[in-house]
């Protein structure tokens, strides 16, 4: 566990692409995962949806297990769109999650939950949906490794980026810098090769992209993204 964490921590504040598995054609899951790994992607974004916090159900532990086995060197960035997420921490940690991000709106014990993740010596992230102000997470900024700013309403891939999310990312960055902290800023939803520069300019360094990566030319798409976000 220590090594896993150390590897990611060394990369802090560097630009990274985290393709979202939600957009994978499940008939070719292994090939698609290997395609992105093959061009240098280091993180896979894993969207877990419970049908309660969001109006959609995605996948759970067996799929995560498969991903870890298919591309063991890739870091798993688990985005839990799950009500009271702590019920599942042990399972995801056991399956090899490198980062667990929970929604501020999904728990009545945000700080306690984040500390539970940290206790397991993996990275902890906090996500905010489009209607949640940055002020809601200011108090936990000192204990987290990542803030995930949602640029669409969570639940579905293929939506259009909400431009106000960029202002929120800027606000998060200003607070982070003012507090002398060094967590990553991640954005998720509607990011493509046309708007990714703007997203980076707002202070984001982890780019989640689903439908703009997986599809007809997965390896080529990922390669072009990586080129665009190079530090
Ligand atoms: C939405 C998910 C996203 C989604 C992004 O609830 O959290 O990760 O898969 O998909 P695109 O990039 O297609 O907007
Ligand atoms: Zn996500």
């Amino acid at each position: 566990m220590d090594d896993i964490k150390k590897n990611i921590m060394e990369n802090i504040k560097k630009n990274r692409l985290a393709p979202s598995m939600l957009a994978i054609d499940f008939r070719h899951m292994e090939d698609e995962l290997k395609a992105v790994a093959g061009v240098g992607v280091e993180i896979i974004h894993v969207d877990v949806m419970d049908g309660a916090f969001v109006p959609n159900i995605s996948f759970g532990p067996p799929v995560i297990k498969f991903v870890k086995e298919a591309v063991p060197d890739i870091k798993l960035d688990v985005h839990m769109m799950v009500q009271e997420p702590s019920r599942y921490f042990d399972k995801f940690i056991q399956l090899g999650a490198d980062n667990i991000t929970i929604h501020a709106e999904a728990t009545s014990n945000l700080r306690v939950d984040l500390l539970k993740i940290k206790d397991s010596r993996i990275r902890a992230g906090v996500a905010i949906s489009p209607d949640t102000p940055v002020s809601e997470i200011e108090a936990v900024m000192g204990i987290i490794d990542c803030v995930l700013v949602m640029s669409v309403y969570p639940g579905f891939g293929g939506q259009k980026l909400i431009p106000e999310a960029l202002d929120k990312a800027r606000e998060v960055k200003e607070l982070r810098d003012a507090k002398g902290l060094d967590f990553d800023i991640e954005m998720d939803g509607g990011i493509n090769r046309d708007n990714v520069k703007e997203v980076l300019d707002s202070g984001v360094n982890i780019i989640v992209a689903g439908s703009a990566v997986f599809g007809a030319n997965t390896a080529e798409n990922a390669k072009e993204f990586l080129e665009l976000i190079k530090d």
Side-chain angles (χ1 to χ4, degrees):
M1 270 319 182
D2 266 335
D3 282 347
I4 291 170
K5 175 157 184 176
K6 200 166 139 261
N7 286 343
I8 296 196
M9 294 305 280
E10 277 170 358
N11 296 334
I12 208 145
K13 287 212 252 172
K14 293 264 165 61
N15 292 345
R16 290 286 178 269
L17 174 68
S20 163
M21 271 189 57
L22 200 60
I24 277 191
D25 179 344
F26 275 28
R27 289 170 300 176
H28 310 292
M29 184 149 69
E30 185 159 7
D31 290 345
E32 291 287 89
L33 290 168
K34 288 188 168 151
V36 292
V39 295
V41 163
E42 297 167 36
I43 306 171
I44 285 281
H45 183 82
V46 183
D47 286 307
V48 179
M49 302 180 180
D50 66 350
F53 177 67
V54 287
N56 195 10
I57 297 175
S58 57
F59 42 73
V63 174
I64 298 177
K65 184 167 180 283
F66 179 84
V67 177
K68 196 72 191 175
E69 285 165 5
V71 280
D73 294 336
I74 287 225
K75 311 280 186 243
L76 296 187
D77 172 29
V78 179
H79 176 194
M80 295 189 72
M81 283 161 277
V82 173
Q83 204 60 46
E84 296 305 338
S86 62
R87 296 174 290 151
Y88 300 100
F89 290 166
D90 288 348
K91 189 72 197 166
F92 291 146
I93 289 161
Q94 181 208 328
L95 290 171
D98 298 284
N99 181 99
I100 293 183
T101 293
I102 60 173
H103 269 263
E105 308 87 4
T107 169
S108 34
N109 300 295
L110 184 59
R111 187 180 191 84
V112 173
D113 284 0
L114 290 165
L115 289 172
K116 265 188 209 156
I117 301 172
K118 301 284 302 174
D119 271 354
S120 307
R121 308 170 76 83
I122 66 163
R123 285 166 50 98
V126 62
I128 43 172
S129 292
D131 294 335
T132 305
V134 172
S135 56
E136 291 281 317
I137 54 165
E138 193 177 342
V140 296
M141 283 183 177
I143 58 169
I144 44 137
D145 300 287
C146 179
V147 167
L148 171 54
V149 178
M150 287 305 296
S151 39
V152 297
Y153 286 91
F156 300 92
Q159 305 178 69
K160 211 169 158 323
L161 180 141
I162 299 169
E164 285 75 18
L166 302 184
D167 296 328
K168 276 164 96 175
R170 272 186 278 271
E171 199 182 334
V172 171
K173 184 181 187 303
E174 268 168 32
L175 278 170
R176 176 187 72 189
D177 296 351
K179 291 173 189 287
L181 299 170
D182 63 0
F183 53 80
D184 289 308
I185 305 177
E186 182 170 4
M187 188 168 281
D188 182 4
I191 305 177
N192 54 45
R193 277 159 285 174
D194 294 329
N195 61 18
V196 69
K197 284 274 184 211
E198 235 183 304
V199 172
L200 292 173
D201 285 347
S202 73
V204 170
N205 70 294
I206 301 180
I207 301 287
V208 178
S211 43
V213 171
F214 292 109
N217 302 300
T218 298
E220 196 51 41
N221 295 342
K223 226 163 114 183
E224 283 179 23
F225 253 116
L226 289 173
E227 202 52 47
L228 285 167
I229 70 168
K230 245 189 201 158
D231 281 301

